[in-house]
Amino acid sequence: MPSNPTEYQNLETPAGTNSAWLEKSQTGAKRSKWIVIGSLVTLAALIAVGVSLGVVLSKKSSGASASGSGGGGGGSGTPPGTNPNDPSNFQKNPALKTSFWGIAYNPLGSLLPDCGCTLDQVIEDVQLLSQVTTRIRLYGSDCNQSSLVLAAIQETKVNLSVYLGNYPEATDNGTAYERQKGEIQTALQTYGANNVLGVTVGNEFILNYVTEAGSSDPNGAAGQQAAAMLIPWIKDTRSMLQGMGMGNMPVGTSDAGSYFNNQVLENVDYGMANVHPWFANVSITDAAAWTADFFETNDVVLANSLSNKPQMYIAETGWPTNTSTFNYNPNDGPSVASVANLQYFIDTFVCQANKNGTGYFFFEFCDEPWKAVTYGGVEGYWGLFDSNKIFKNLTIPTCS
């Protein structure tokens, strides 16, 4: 049985976050139906039969509530006759299908300094995630999230693999990078690499650095300065993996789809590009086609022009389902944030991307309330599940 990683050793406050049009990063009620069926044939028979049926049907109703579409997460209950202490025995939600190539995942409580992520919480997340995809990506490794995710995958025994992440800062002389490098190394030493697909170094690092410098050119002076910091960390991560006997593990980076620095891409095995039609002010009817075209034209073509030809994936794409009044911009785009429009994007993007062989991480697992409070607008409402891990009123298409 994997150990329970619980110690949080690094409690510094992360640097601020910036937003741009292709940027997106970090971060019911259980129904119980009591059905009493009876008929007024005789009073004595009514009591005996009614009580018996009431108990049996309430149990069935409770189980249906936990697994039905839109009515529950489907990851916390255990099937009858199984060991409730075994995380690999959990109630499946029939509304969920493993049709998504990948899902972007940020465990709640995995941001410094307020680490609150627990193994039980991540196990519940992994139980749900494994029902919609076989791949997830993390953004960073603070708060033991690398170890927690790998431990949860092993305990649940699900078919799920992960791209680990290191989220370095440009202004701390490598402190955040080194801290997370240590977390990744510990996770790999403890849980092995069987469920690890790669290590991603940097998340919108070039975008943030370049835009803070007042530029928009990832290959200009500011972009080259950012690359001079990021490339040594990428090489150092590769050296760490080689020293652990894991030299074949891919090392990549993630950035906004129009902010890749050529030199950075020349030093990675893969790149992950955020491609959000919402922030490009694209209508929902054109969103899927625009996403595919933008990714191919800006990211795949660039990668294929380089000598190493890194594999390219879509790091984030999706559609928001709500917006908050704080920092609300009514001109965000021609189509509203709604569950219906998320459904439309799922219907027009997911199976076609799978058919085309496009690797993508749908954004995201569940709504993140802290983003709605901190940033406002649509920031907190991109999940397939709401913040209580209840599956939204969606239908997942059947596609491999």
Side-chain angles (χ1 to χ4, degrees):
M1 181 67 71
S3 60
N4 184 347
T6 57
E7 295 183 5
Y8 304 127
Q9 300 177 359
N10 305 289
L11 298 176
E12 66 183 57
T13 303
T17 307
N18 295 288
S19 297
W21 70 277
L22 278 175
E23 172 194 9
K24 272 300 114 265
S25 67
Q26 304 271 56
T27 279
K30 182 181 177 181
R31 293 181 302 155
S32 180
K33 295 168 62 178
W34 292 91
I35 303 173
V36 180
I37 302 175
S39 61
L40 296 175
V41 179
T42 66
L43 182 59
L46 172 66
I47 296 173
V49 175
V51 170
S52 175
L53 286 175
V55 171
V56 171
L57 290 178
S58 70
K59 290 181 179 178
K60 289 183 179 179
S61 170
S62 178
S65 174
S67 61
S69 173
S76 58
T78 55
T82 59
N83 180 2
N85 296 318
D86 183 354
S88 67
N89 294 319
F90 57 93
Q91 194 74 43
K92 305 297 193 301
N93 186 337
L96 305 181
K97 303 173 186 176
T98 54
S99 295
F100 294 93
W101 193 90
I103 299 289
Y105 173 53
N106 182 47
L108 186 64
S110 59
L111 294 180
L112 295 175
D114 301 318
C115 294
C117 205
T118 67
L119 181 58
D120 286 344
Q121 168 202 324
V122 177
I123 283 175
E124 184 179 41
D125 293 350
V126 164
Q127 288 171 336
L128 291 169
L129 283 161
S130 68
Q131 296 178 67
V132 295
T133 189
T134 59
R135 305 172 189 86
I136 58 175
R137 63 161 295 217
L138 298 176
Y139 291 83
S141 291
D142 281 326
C143 302
N144 283 0
Q145 60 182 288
S146 298
S147 291
L148 289 167
V149 168
L150 291 179
I153 291 172
Q154 290 186 15
E155 291 206 13
T156 54
K157 301 179 178 67
V158 295
N159 179 22
L160 194 66
S161 297
V162 57
Y163 284 87
L164 301 178
N166 189 322
Y167 198 122
E169 299 288 347
T171 58
D172 66 355
N173 295 316
T175 300
Y177 167 77
E178 291 292 342
R179 179 183 66 239
Q180 293 172 83
K181 172 189 171 184
E183 295 281 2
I184 292 170
Q185 186 173 35
T186 297
L188 291 172
Q189 289 171 335
T190 305
Y191 302 101
N194 288 341
N195 298 106
V196 180
L197 296 172
V199 178
T200 308
V201 181
N203 184 72
E204 297 182 336
F205 190 87
I206 304 297
L207 166 72
N208 291 337
Y209 194 93
V210 167
T211 54
E212 286 175 7
S215 176
S216 60
D217 182 3
N219 293 298
Q224 295 304 98
Q225 292 170 6
M229 286 185 279
L230 189 57
I231 291 172
W233 291 332
I234 291 168
K235 291 181 176 180
D236 183 62
T237 297
R238 186 171 280 116
S239 295
M240 176 195 73
L241 294 171
Q242 290 172 344
M244 299 175 67
M246 302 177 183
N248 292 328
M249 182 177 293
V251 177
T253 193
S254 177
D255 225 299
S258 56
Y259 277 84
F260 280 107
N261 175 275
N262 292 8
Q263 290 187 19
V264 171
L265 280 183
E266 287 173 341
N267 282 275
V268 295
D269 301 304
Y270 64 87
M272 293 183 175
N274 291 351
V275 184
H276 281 289
W278 170 271
F279 292 103
N281 294 326
V282 175
S283 71
I284 187 61
T285 55
D286 298 326
W290 177 89
T291 300
D293 181 70
F294 181 95
F295 176 62
E296 178 69 26
T297 302
N298 290 272
D299 302 313
V300 175
V301 169
L302 171 59
N304 288 337
S305 72
L306 304 176
S307 60
N308 59 322
K309 293 180 170 50
Q311 180 69 47
M312 298 302 288
Y313 306 105
I314 296 177
E316 293 180 4
T317 195
W319 196 268
T321 59
N322 202 353
T323 188
S324 63
T325 56
F326 169 61
N327 202 28
Y328 170 62
N329 180 2
N331 299 315
D332 275 337
S335 301
V336 299
S338 68
V339 173
N341 281 343
L342 172 57
Q343 181 69 68
Y344 189 92
F345 187 68
I346 290 172
D347 290 342
T348 53
F349 176 80
V350 170
C351 291
Q352 189 61 48
N354 293 353
K355 181 180 179 181
N356 292 341
T358 303
Y360 64 89
F361 295 88
F362 209 83
F363 187 77
E364 61 182 323
F365 168 53
C366 70
D367 291 348
E368 299 191 70
W370 72 270
K371 290 183 179 179
V373 174
T374 303
Y375 304 114
V378 299
E379 297 289 339
Y381 304 102
W382 290 79
L384 296 172
F385 298 78
D386 68 17
S387 58
N388 293 315
K389 304 177 188 178
I390 305 301
F391 186 54
K392 294 179 181 177
N393 188 25
L394 298 166
T395 299
I396 299 177
T398 300
C399 49
S400 59

